[in-house]
Amino acid sequence: MSQSDIFSALEQGLKQAGSVQTPGETHGTLTGMLCIDHEQPPAAAVDDVEAENLTTALDALREITLEGLFDPDLSFTPLLPDDESSLDRRVNALARWCAGFLFGLSYRGNFEPDQLSDEVREIVADLTELSKAELTADEADADSAEADYAELVEYVRVGVQMIFLELQPKREGPQTRETLH
């Protein structure tokens, strides 16, 4: 299943459940929660509706997210609309993803930014700024806006990996985590 298919399926499931959350915001929240506690149940990422109808989708999203976060090749990717969507929609989704991620980090109230390395604290500060991102009319027409957006997504992707690696205890042995079924 492609990123686009997952995004669309989650978007439809959230709408049917009556949630006001977006797929990106939900994935961001889940990812932030998993950075603090990788055993976190995924239903907690949807806080405005009963998530029982979304259980299967959220379980799958959790597994895909953890696989990316634990992957030694750093394959984690934020769940965002595909490149066929308007740039404005993608920028808004990225901002909501970042807001969700920050919420997920602080969800349990035991996130201590002061305990982070300077580099990771800077990433958290940057994600805070990105959560306010929006596209202006001038930027929507600029050729460089697409490249800028791609760079921001890559920054978020790598930054989240760094946050995850710093917050999660080190694994022993060559295997980073057990295979999930």
Side-chain angles (χ1 to χ4, degrees):
M1 188 175 248
S2 74
Q3 230 8 44
S4 177
D5 293 338
I6 295 168
F7 187 92
S8 295
L10 184 58
E11 185 172 47
Q12 182 178 5
L14 289 166
K15 282 181 184 174
Q16 287 174 347
S19 177
V20 297
Q21 288 183 232
T22 64
E25 183 178 17
T26 300
H27 185 242
T29 300
L30 177 61
T31 304
M33 291 172 153
L34 294 173
C35 283
I36 297 293
D37 175 8
H38 69 273
E39 300 294 331
Q40 183 68 37
V46 180
D47 64 353
D48 65 341
V49 295
E50 283 297 319
E52 20 184 272
N53 296 342
L54 297 169
T55 301
T56 302
L58 291 173
D59 285 342
L61 185 60
R62 179 183 180 275
E63 295 307 312
I64 291 167
T65 302
L66 282 173
E67 285 175 17
L69 290 169
F70 277 110
D71 183 6
D73 294 328
L74 306 176
S75 66
F76 169 78
T77 305
L79 185 63
L80 299 167
D82 63 27
D83 291 342
E84 302 305 313
S85 298
S86 72
L87 183 58
D88 186 49
R89 180 173 188 232
R90 289 181 284 145
V91 169
N92 287 333
L94 180 61
R96 299 260 326 243
W97 193 98
C98 291
F101 179 77
L102 295 167
F103 175 76
L105 283 178
S106 62
Y107 174 74
R108 292 191 130 169
N110 58 353
F111 177 60
E112 300 286 340
D114 295 342
Q115 304 298 316
L116 300 173
S117 68
D118 290 343
E119 187 176 27
V120 169
R121 256 196 326 269
E122 183 177 332
I123 292 168
V124 171
D126 290 344
L127 293 176
T128 301
E129 289 304 310
L130 282 172
S131 72
K132 304 170 197 170
E134 56 185 26
L135 198 62
T136 65
D138 292 341
E139 293 168 326
D141 296 331
D143 291 336
S144 65
E146 284 288 339
D148 293 344
Y149 171 78
E151 284 182 32
L152 288 175
V153 171
E154 182 64 8
Y155 180 81
V156 168
R157 187 187 79 73
V158 172
V160 167
Q161 287 274 195
M162 291 176 66
I163 292 168
F164 179 77
L165 292 172
E166 186 163 312
L167 292 174
Q168 287 300 301
K170 302 291 182 237
R171 304 287 181 255
E172 293 186 23
Q175 193 164 2
T176 57
R177 85 176 179 69
E178 66 279 357
T179 303
L180 298 173
H181 296 282

